[in-house]
Amino acid sequence: MKIIDGGVTAAKGFLAAGLAAGIKKGNTKDMALVYSEKPCVAAGTFTTNVVKAAPVKWDQHIVYDEPTAQAIVCNSGVANACTGEEGYSYCKETAKIAAEELKISENAVLVASTGVIGKQLPMDLMGQGVRNLVPLLSPTLEAGALAAQSIMTTDTISKEVAVTLEMGGKTVTLGGMCKGSGMIHPNMCTMLGFVTTDAAISKEMLQKALSEVVKDSFNMISVDGDTSTNDTVLLLANGLAGNPEVTEENEDYKAFLEALMYVNTCLAKKIAGDGEGATALFEVKVIGAESKEQAVTLSKSIVTSSLTKAAIYGHDANWGRILCAMGYSGAQFDPEKVDLFFESAAGKIKIIENGVATDYSEDTATKILSEKEVTAIADVKMGDAEATAWGCDLTYDYIKINADYRS
Amino acid sequence: MKIIDGGVTAAKGFLAAGLAAGIKKGNTKDMALVYSEKPCVAAGTFTTNVVKAAPVKWDQHIVYDEPTAQAIVCNSGVANACTGEEGYSYCKETAKIAAEELKISENAVLVASTGVIGKQLPMDLMGQGVRNLVPLLSPTLEAGALAAQSIMTTDTISKEVAVTLEMGGKTVTLGGMCKGSGMIHPNMCTMLGFVTTDAAISKEMLQKALSEVVKDSFNMISVDGDTSTNDTVLLLANGLAGNPEVTEENEDYKAFLEALMYVNTCLAKKIAGDGEGATALFEVKVIGAESKEQAVTLSKSIVTSSLTKAAIYGHDANWGRILCAMGYSGAQFDPEKVDLFFESAAGKIKIIENGVATDYSEDTATKILSEKEVTAIADVKMGDAEATAWGCDLTYDYIKINADYRS
């Protein structure tokens, strides 16, 4: 696997465009179109929120019931959530306009929205936006980058990644973009991810790969159930790489899964690290767990603890907050068996051994916690399961009261 | 029931004191002592965190195993949590010193701590603090107020309340103090509550009343399981009011329960409203629920949603965020049946009817949301159960990006 430049247009046959359609104020880019020259098999994972936005319902229908898809229309500014029948009709209308312009079926057009909940889409602007996007479609990396910028809401940076890998002697490309900000809580804003690939793979195996990978990537920056009304990850595969079609869990599937894991994890980490003013990506590994589920519960509880995140910002080895977050997670473990480490480019240090502070150097701990990427590793010594979760530090003034609490 | 001035010294026979023992920097008050002239029956509710602080373990032993208690020593600055055997020995030592000075048994002394986790108590300062506190003990309201100030950590105001009621022809007094800040999440800091009463009531009925009341008061400003290592509510009753001892669920018990509910709810709301820079107490009522459990889950999910709290700060009727928070709460309901109201001293307005926005006036909604106490009422139309939760708005600069998101 090789990391390359680009995003959704990196794979063969994928074009993209982005522009300001007037949905957001101030000529800000707010619509993106992704299109494949060839029909794609499509996979998707969607929000588990009881309240599902109209575009989620539309896309579920396409992904679950249709054999192929060929385009994604995404807007920012208005989420088209809690909009009833009218909102759903606008998904269909958007797909219809895109289908006419692209000369494909409306049932091959996926839609996604992010922004304010409860407001109807301005269909005149949406329709004109789609019509203006189609002539702009381009296979260049720049076009992919424009699309990535157009789906941003509170994001401070656009988020793209692409890789190549070998499958059956052919070079296959995977590229993606996403939006979402890890600022406060993952539930604070919609997470949208779009990944394209020229791999030849069956619809069944594509969905299997995506479902497998989302669990350990995007879902690890999100608290259980704390998904927005719009959260969506879509994966399109058009087969143009010419590799033998993957229809079972063979070596090619494993290589594809590994590359997809890298792409999704990379995108998820970009979301986690994109806190307004965040100074560090905060990674939490729980090892020695009894089960994967326990490791997930513990790592997510730590990474979403505001007190812990404030301590990371303060470069303060306030390990008590980590033990506390583990304690209220709902997972059972023996606090008096826990070892805790901090690790970064500056080194690794053991802070707690069997639940009690080691004689560690606060200076060394502060140095390790002052890096741009900081990892906490908790060993609960119960088994072999592990999980990794991602977040960011909390750097805002109002947090200082906690970051400085100990000094 | 009548609301009166005062706190822990309001009831007959209770004395208190507070001072700066040097545990916190800068001559800040950090130790309090509450003492009853007569042995009390004691009830307590404690953190459900897997990691329990040493004082929680000590107090559980006193409340569960001893017939009476007579004093509470509380310090702020150091939480005495994650401190192992050494930490527990300091609870015993603190109790022993207090017992010697007060000439009571060390098993009649409850202790409580709040502050930094993982640090050992400075026992020399603690011991000297206890010795200095005893001669300062006084039954005045001022002494109660000093004690309330001495248990504060990130609190911006001290928190006291007292009431009188009639029980069996006698005037009974209930008074309390608490600490804790609803700034970000209830799990951000320890919540301590101490309530004293001169009611004559059996230990069994006292615990029954406290357990009943805590569910609907202190626990409704806390997310499930998100308790700190130290969370504690203690209730002492010395019987000096001379009412016939309550030993069963009679009319006197009901009157006592009602007064205790008022005292605890009042203290809990003081914690919820004490956000750093908070401009409003945010109350959430879920009505028409299928079960109490469902109503609790939904109301807590709304009141702890940062997006919703930021919208309250922005006086923005962004009801989509409330529906979203209900949707990810884990409770099942039909989003298309929900009615939502906002209410305050400025009036009441229906924002959603059957899941869709009404034709409400944004101006009126803004006016209602601009008051110091704002209530959101969600009717899920499934049954008769209801629950109320309390929090505050989020007012900090970093939140502005969300508060202003819609404009």
Side-chain angles (χ1 to χ4, degrees):
Chain A
M1 197 186 70
K2 200 178 130 196
I3 299 156
I4 59 168
D5 285 341
V8 284
T9 56
K12 276 196 202 85
F14 284 97
L15 294 77
L19 54 67
I23 301 165
K24 282 188 191 168
K25 287 180 183 167
N27 204 35
T28 313
K29 283 190 273 297
D30 52 19
M31 281 195 81
L33 177 62
V34 178
Y35 171 70
S36 169
E37 291 172 349
K38 203 186 147 214
C40 304
V41 288
T45 60
F46 303 98
T47 182
T48 55
N49 198 306
V50 169
V51 183
K52 289 187 207 316
V56 168
K57 294 178 188 168
W58 175 265
D59 288 356
Q60 287 182 326
H61 141 67
I62 304 285
V63 168
Y64 299 156
D65 305 335
E66 299 292 328
T68 58
Q70 205 165 347
I72 305 169
V73 179
C74 179
N75 75 280
S76 55
V78 175
N80 194 6
C82 306
T83 47
E85 287 299 317
E86 187 182 348
Y88 190 77
S89 76
Y90 291 158
C91 294
K92 192 179 167 70
E93 199 171 331
T94 304
K96 197 177 164 205
I97 295 167
E100 281 166 8
E101 297 293 314
L102 294 165
K103 299 184 178 50
I104 58 176
S105 156
E106 72 180 44
N107 285 329
V109 181
L110 295 152
V111 298
S113 298
T114 175
V116 179
I117 303 178
K119 203 169 148 183
Q120 294 294 348
L121 279 177
M123 261 318 293
D124 48 340
L125 296 175
M126 285 289 290
Q128 196 52 53
V130 171
R131 286 184 198 99
N132 292 341
L133 278 165
V134 172
L136 296 175
L137 280 171
S138 153
T140 60
L141 298 190
E142 289 72 25
L146 268 177
Q149 290 160 30
S150 301
I151 63 174
M152 290 163 65
T153 54
T154 55
D155 304 65
T156 61
I157 49 160
S158 64
K159 302 169 182 73
E160 295 182 282
V161 64
V163 301
T164 58
L165 71 152
E166 295 295 308
M167 286 171 74
K170 300 283 180 177
T171 299
V172 166
T173 303
L174 264 163
M177 64 180 182
C178 69
K179 63 83 48 181
S181 165
M183 186 177 51
I184 305 168
H185 259 288
N187 69 318
M188 294 284 295
C189 56
T190 288
M191 189 279 298
L192 297 177
F194 306 112
V195 180
T196 58
T197 179
D198 46 25
I201 180 168
S202 69
K203 190 171 165 70
E204 188 195 349
M205 296 311 288
L206 193 72
Q207 183 66 52
K208 191 181 178 73
L210 182 64
S211 299
E212 177 78 23
V213 157
V214 162
K215 271 193 309 199
D216 289 325
S217 55
F218 288 113
N219 282 0
M220 290 307 289
I221 54 164
S222 169
V223 207
D224 296 75
D226 270 23
T227 51
S228 97
T229 52
N230 291 56
D231 287 352
T232 300
V233 179
L234 296 171
L235 171 57
L236 299 180
N238 66 12
L240 287 174
N243 62 298
E245 190 188 12
V246 174
T247 57
E248 55 172 11
E249 290 191 46
N250 54 16
E251 285 308 307
D252 282 353
Y253 176 79
K254 282 178 197 156
F256 180 78
L257 193 71
E258 188 198 343
L260 186 64
M261 181 67 89
Y262 177 82
V263 165
N264 279 23
T265 303
C266 184
L267 290 173
K269 285 168 77 171
K270 280 175 195 276
I271 291 176
D274 187 16
E276 279 281 314
T279 65
L281 174 74
F282 180 38
E283 181 175 79
V284 175
K285 283 187 192 173
V286 169
I287 62 173
E290 212 172 7
S291 65
K292 176 84 182 180
E293 191 190 359
Q294 183 198 31
V296 166
T297 301
L298 288 169
S299 58
K300 279 187 176 176
S301 187
I302 298 168
V303 92
T304 55
S305 152
S306 299
L307 267 183
T308 300
K309 293 166 75 164
I312 296 297
Y313 168 56
H315 307 153
D316 178 3
N318 197 328
W319 53 268
R321 295 178 176 178
I322 292 184
L323 265 192
C324 181
M326 292 170 72
Y328 66 66
S329 69
Q332 291 303 312
F333 65 97
D334 182 352
E336 287 168 23
K337 271 193 184 170
V338 174
D339 288 358
L340 182 75
F341 306 82
F342 285 122
E343 186 173 18
S344 75
K348 185 172 177 178
I349 191 171
K350 186 188 271 192
I351 300 283
I352 312 184
E353 186 167 310
N354 294 321
V356 175
T358 62
D359 188 24
Y360 68 89
S361 149
E362 287 280 0
D363 284 352
T364 307
T366 299
K367 209 171 151 198
I368 288 169
L369 291 174
S370 300
E371 293 291 318
K372 293 279 176 207
E373 301 200 1
V374 170
T375 302
I377 305 163
D379 186 349
V380 293
K381 300 181 194 162
M382 297 173 80
D384 293 324
E386 52 184 79
T388 305
W390 296 277
C392 64
D393 60 343
L394 275 184
T395 73
Y396 311 91
D397 285 353
Y398 92 107
I399 290 295
K400 280 190 177 153
I401 191 167
N402 289 297
D404 297 335
Y405 189 43
R406 226 167 62 140
S407 56
Chain B
M1 197 186 71
K2 198 178 133 199
I3 299 156
I4 59 168
D5 284 340
V8 286
T9 55
K12 275 196 202 85
F14 284 97
L15 295 77
L19 54 68
I23 302 165
K24 283 187 190 169
K25 287 179 184 167
N27 205 35
T28 313
K29 283 190 273 297
D30 51 20
M31 280 196 81
L33 177 63
V34 177
Y35 171 70
S36 170
E37 291 172 350
K38 202 187 145 210
C40 305
V41 288
T45 60
F46 303 98
T47 183
T48 55
N49 197 307
V50 169
V51 183
K52 290 189 206 315
V56 168
K57 293 179 189 169
W58 176 264
D59 288 355
Q60 286 182 327
H61 142 66
I62 306 283
V63 169
Y64 300 155
D65 305 335
E66 299 291 328
T68 58
Q70 205 165 347
I72 305 169
V73 179
C74 179
N75 75 280
S76 55
V78 174
N80 195 6
C82 305
T83 46
E85 287 300 318
E86 188 182 346
Y88 190 78
S89 76
Y90 291 159
C91 295
K92 193 179 167 69
E93 199 171 332
T94 303
K96 196 177 165 207
I97 296 167
E100 283 166 7
E101 298 292 315
L102 294 164
K103 300 186 177 47
I104 57 176
S105 156
E106 71 179 45
N107 285 329
V109 181
L110 295 151
V111 298
S113 297
T114 174
V116 178
I117 304 177
K119 204 170 147 181
Q120 295 294 349
L121 280 177
M123 261 319 293
D124 48 340
L125 297 174
M126 284 288 291
Q128 196 51 54
V130 171
R131 286 184 197 99
N132 292 341
L133 278 164
V134 172
L136 297 175
L137 279 171
S138 155
T140 60
L141 299 190
E142 290 70 24
L146 269 179
Q149 289 160 29
S150 301
I151 63 173
M152 292 164 63
T153 54
T154 55
D155 304 63
T156 61
I157 49 160
S158 64
K159 303 171 182 72
E160 294 182 283
V161 65
V163 301
T164 59
L165 71 154
E166 294 297 307
M167 286 171 73
K170 299 283 180 176
T171 299
V172 167
T173 303
L174 263 164
M177 64 179 181
C178 69
K179 62 83 49 182
S181 164
M183 187 179 49
I184 305 169
H185 260 286
N187 70 318
M188 294 286 295
C189 55
T190 288
M191 189 276 298
L192 296 178
F194 307 110
V195 180
T196 57
T197 180
D198 45 26
I201 180 167
S202 69
K203 190 171 165 72
E204 188 195 349
M205 296 311 287
L206 192 73
Q207 183 66 52
K208 191 180 177 75
L210 182 64
S211 298
E212 177 77 22
V213 157
V214 162
K215 271 193 308 196
D216 289 325
S217 56
F218 289 113
N219 282 0
M220 290 308 288
I221 54 163
S222 169
V223 207
D224 296 76
D226 270 23
T227 50
S228 97
T229 52
N230 291 56
D231 287 354
T232 300
V233 179
L234 295 171
L235 171 55
L236 298 181
N238 66 13
L240 286 174
N243 61 298
E245 190 189 11
V246 175
T247 57
E248 54 172 11
E249 290 190 47
N250 56 14
E251 285 308 308
D252 282 352
Y253 175 80
K254 282 177 197 155
F256 181 78
L257 193 70
E258 189 198 342
L260 186 63
M261 181 68 88
Y262 177 81
V263 165
N264 279 22
T265 303
C266 183
L267 290 173
K269 285 167 77 170
K270 281 177 195 275
I271 292 177
D274 187 15
E276 279 279 314
T279 66
L281 174 74
F282 179 39
E283 181 176 79
V284 175
K285 283 187 193 176
V286 170
I287 62 173
E290 213 173 6
S291 64
K292 177 84 180 177
E293 190 191 1
Q294 183 198 31
V296 167
T297 302
L298 288 169
S299 58
K300 280 188 177 176
S301 186
I302 296 168
V303 91
T304 55
S305 151
S306 299
L307 268 182
T308 300
K309 293 166 76 165
I312 296 297
Y313 169 56
H315 308 152
D316 179 4
N318 197 328
W319 54 267
R321 294 178 178 178
I322 291 183
L323 265 191
C324 182
M326 292 169 72
Y328 66 66
S329 69
Q332 291 302 313
F333 65 98
D334 182 351
E336 286 168 24
K337 272 192 184 170
V338 174
D339 288 359
L340 183 75
F341 306 81
F342 285 121
E343 186 172 19
S344 75
K348 184 173 177 177
I349 191 170
K350 187 187 270 193
I351 299 283
I352 312 184
E353 187 168 309
N354 294 320
V356 176
T358 62
D359 189 23
Y360 67 90
S361 150
E362 287 279 359
D363 284 353
T364 308
T366 300
K367 210 172 150 198
I368 289 169
L369 292 174
S370 301
E371 292 292 318
K372 293 279 177 207
E373 300 201 1
V374 170
T375 303
I377 304 162
D379 186 349
V380 293
K381 300 180 194 162
M382 296 172 79
D384 293 324
E386 53 184 80
T388 305
W390 296 278
C392 63
D393 60 343
L394 275 183
T395 73
Y396 310 91
D397 285 355
Y398 91 108
I399 289 297
K400 280 190 177 154
I401 191 168
N402 288 297
D404 297 333
Y405 189 42
R406 227 167 61 139
S407 53

